[in-house]
Amino acid sequence: AQSVAQPEDQVNVAEGNPLTVKCTYSVSGNPYLFWYVQYPNRGLQFLLKYITGDNLVKGSYGFEAEFNKSQTSFHLKKPSALVSDSALYFCAVRDIGGSQGNLIFGKGTKLSVKP
Amino acid sequence: DTEVTQTPKHLVMGMTNKKSLKCEQHMGHRAMYWYKQKAKKPPELMFVYSYEKLSINESVPSRFSPECPNSSLLNLHLHALQPEDSALYLCASSPDSTGVGYTFGSGTRLTVV
């Protein structure tokens, strides 16, 4: 069965510093991987995805993620954090166990960026 | 139009009420989803519609009843809910069943009293 793990409940970063939010996955076959961000009382906003191709994926708002097949990881990164990046971040993998494209989410990581 | 629109944004209902949540998209997507999200938890899949047919029901209690009247609309009918059903209900759509190109709505914040 497919699964996603986000080992950190919370990540604290000072504004201007680089940030990393970790994600590891377990799938049978090739993964479709996604990152979403959620602000309080809002829906999920798509940041980026990996399907095939370059291991370094660039997404919205200056975020990027690196797909590492040997480490089964898909960590989210940003070179310089902003206070406005503070939110809840979810890593997700597409469930390829069946024929439907529903997403399986990690538990989420709360990112807090302090001025 | 690149959005998924959910109405209402907030809903308070009693345990004996009947209400409905509505989701609409005009992107031509053929797969639509209902997710339930409790505070500070990941979304949990409830139902999947693919080409207007219910394809996944994740053992959701019968007090939740989905309906897909056409390719643009997805409803969730609620009846005799419990306080523990209070949550953010998210609708999403994708072009097809591959799961690529998901778009989420902003959700309906449901409180059952």
Side-chain angles (χ1 to χ4, degrees), chain A residues 36 38 41 94 101-103 106, chain B residues 35 37 42 97-99 102 109:
Chain A
Y36 287 85
Q38 186 175 33
N41 296 313
R94 181 213 156 185
N102 44 291
L103 297 179
Chain B
Y35 282 83
Q37 187 181 24
S97 61
T98 62
Y102 250 68
R109 173 70 63 190

Side-chain angles (χ1 to χ4, degrees), chain A residues 32 34 36 92-105, chain B residues 30-33 35 45 47-50 55-56 58 92-104:
Chain A
Y32 290 178
F34 307 84
Y36 287 85
V93 65
R94 181 213 156 185
D95 179 1
I96 59 175
S99 60
Q100 304 306 318
N102 44 291
L103 297 179
I104 296 172
F105 289 90
Chain B
R30 301 313 300 269
M32 296 186 77
Y33 312 79
Y35 282 83
L45 182 68
F47 303 103
V48 180
Y49 272 83
S50 180
S55 58
I56 292 182
E58 290 287 346
S93 69
S94 63
D96 52 33
S97 61
T98 62
V100 180
Y102 250 68
T103 302
F104 280 89

Side-chain angles (χ1 to χ4, degrees), chain A:
Chain A
Q2 281 64 234
S3 66
V4 171
Q6 293 180 245
E8 303 153 316
D9 290 334
Q10 181 157 342
V11 170
N12 299 311
V13 178
E15 188 175 30
N17 283 1
L19 69 87
T20 299
V21 183
K22 295 180 180 177
C23 172
T24 59
Y25 66 89
S26 174
V27 300
S28 53
N30 295 320
Y32 290 178
L33 294 159
F34 307 84
W35 275 103
Y36 287 85
V37 60
Q38 186 175 33
Y39 295 95
N41 296 313
R42 301 296 301 275
L44 277 71
Q45 296 179 31
F46 171 79
L47 282 178
L48 50 79
K49 67 176 183 283
Y50 173 82
I51 307 297
T52 60
D54 287 342
N55 290 342
L56 184 63
V57 179
K58 293 190 183 297
S60 306
Y61 313 119
F63 284 94
E64 59 187 30
E66 186 168 9
F67 172 67
N68 188 318
K69 189 171 184 178
S70 62
Q71 296 185 6
T72 62
S73 67
F74 189 57
H75 301 331
L76 181 70
K77 299 183 180 184
K78 187 173 182 181
S80 179
L82 300 173
V83 173
S84 57
D85 292 330
S86 299
L88 189 56
Y89 290 79
F90 290 102
C91 183
V93 65
R94 181 213 156 185
D95 179 1
I96 59 175
S99 60
Q100 304 306 318
N102 44 291
L103 297 179
I104 296 172
F105 289 90
K107 66 178 182 178
T109 298
K110 182 179 178 182
L111 174 65
S112 178
V113 182
K114 300 294 187 186

